[in-house]
């Protein structure tokens, strides 16, 4: 039932981490009620899959995986592999509908991918993106050129003053 789902260690630690964050901002873990709802929905889906396939729920996937999925919101198999490289057979098998069903549940929950998606970006892309939204592409080039000129000017003036 639902109780064992909510007693899962990964789930409990996510909630604790998120609660601690309200006081301690160093490690960001923004687990919200939306993540919990998604986690419970995915756990229910896991039970349905197990019944459909006549297998144990743990053979569908672990609750730890569902907890991670509920937090990171992966949109494809390679993002899912960041958690578990060898995916459980029902999710790995492209002839089975289960991976697509999982993604469908995530999208119907309308999870915002803004905060969690950042993990999948390189910092450089993030900075470039930020620059593009603050300034246009042309302005960015001007900004970079100006910055370079300022640094060069600074170096030259430091040399003269010695």
């Amino acid at each position: 039932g639902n109780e064992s789902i909510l007693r899962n260690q990964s789930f409990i630690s996510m909630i604790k981490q998120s609660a601690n964050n309200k006081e301690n901002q160093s490690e960001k873990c923004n687990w919200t009620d939306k993540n919990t709802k998604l986690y419970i929905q995915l756990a229910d889906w896991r039970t349905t899959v197990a019944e459909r396939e006549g297998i144990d729920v743990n053979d569908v996937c672990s609750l730890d995986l569902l907890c991670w999925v509920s937090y990171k919101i992966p949109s494809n198999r390679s993002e899912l592999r960041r958690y578990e490289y060898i995916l459980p057979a029902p999710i790995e098998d492209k002839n089975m509908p289960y991976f697509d069903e999982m993604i469908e549940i995530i999208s119907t929950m309308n999870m915002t991918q803004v905060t969690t998606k950042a993990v999948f970006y390189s910092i450089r892309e993030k900075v470039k993106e930020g620059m593009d939204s603050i300034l246009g592409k042309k302005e960015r080039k001007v900004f970079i050129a100006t910055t370079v000129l300022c640094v060069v000017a600074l170096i030259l003036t430091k040399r003269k003053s010695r």
Side-chain angles (χ1 to χ4, degrees):
N2 261 9
E3 286 138 62
S4 59
I5 295 168
L6 301 178
R7 276 201 222 115
N8 174 271
Q9 280 307 303
S10 293
F11 174 69
I12 291 167
S13 88
M14 279 302 212
I15 289 185
K16 278 183 183 165
Q17 256 180 292
S18 197
N20 291 342
N21 268 355
K22 288 172 180 64
E23 303 128 33
N24 171 16
Q25 293 299 313
S26 64
E27 276 179 50
K28 274 275 181 237
C29 168
N30 298 319
W31 182 276
T32 65
D33 293 346
K34 246 185 165 184
N35 298 99
T36 301
K37 276 185 196 146
L38 176 60
Y39 170 70
I40 291 168
Q41 261 196 298
L42 288 170
D44 290 343
W45 163 79
R46 178 179 89 138
T47 306
T48 308
V49 172
E51 286 164 5
R52 242 191 289 171
E53 290 294 323
I55 57 177
D56 187 75
V57 283
N58 291 311
D59 292 333
V60 177
C61 65
S62 67
L63 284 174
D64 293 344
L65 177 72
L66 294 183
C67 191
W68 187 86
V69 166
S70 303
Y71 183 57
K72 295 293 186 185
I73 320 295
S75 55
N76 56 49
R77 280 186 179 83
S78 68
E79 284 178 3
L80 194 55
R81 282 197 183 86
R82 288 169 197 259
Y83 173 75
E84 207 168 290
Y85 189 73
I86 296 167
L87 298 174
I91 294 169
E92 178 66 69
D93 192 340
K94 289 182 175 76
N95 298 319
M96 291 179 146
Y98 303 123
F99 177 77
D100 296 328
E101 283 179 12
M102 179 191 278
I103 296 301
E104 181 62 29
I105 292 167
I106 294 169
S107 63
T108 55
M109 278 299 287
N110 190 21
M111 297 298 288
T112 47
Q113 300 191 337
V114 185
T115 49
T116 49
K117 266 291 192 262
V119 179
F120 300 127
Y121 275 123
S122 69
I123 300 274
R124 198 169 139 234
E125 280 305 301
K126 206 75 197 139
V127 169
K128 209 173 129 219
E129 237 174 63
M131 293 284 287
D132 281 345
S133 59
I134 297 164
L135 318 160
K137 286 217 190 278
K138 263 189 197 147
E139 288 90 343
R140 190 176 89 222
K141 284 179 181 157
V142 171
F143 177 77
I144 292 168
T146 310
T147 308
V148 169
L149 287 173
C150 288
V151 170
V152 169
L154 206 73
I155 293 167
L156 293 175
T157 53
K158 284 257 190 273
R159 280 205 180 135
K160 277 183 185 167
S161 62
R162 277 187 191 161

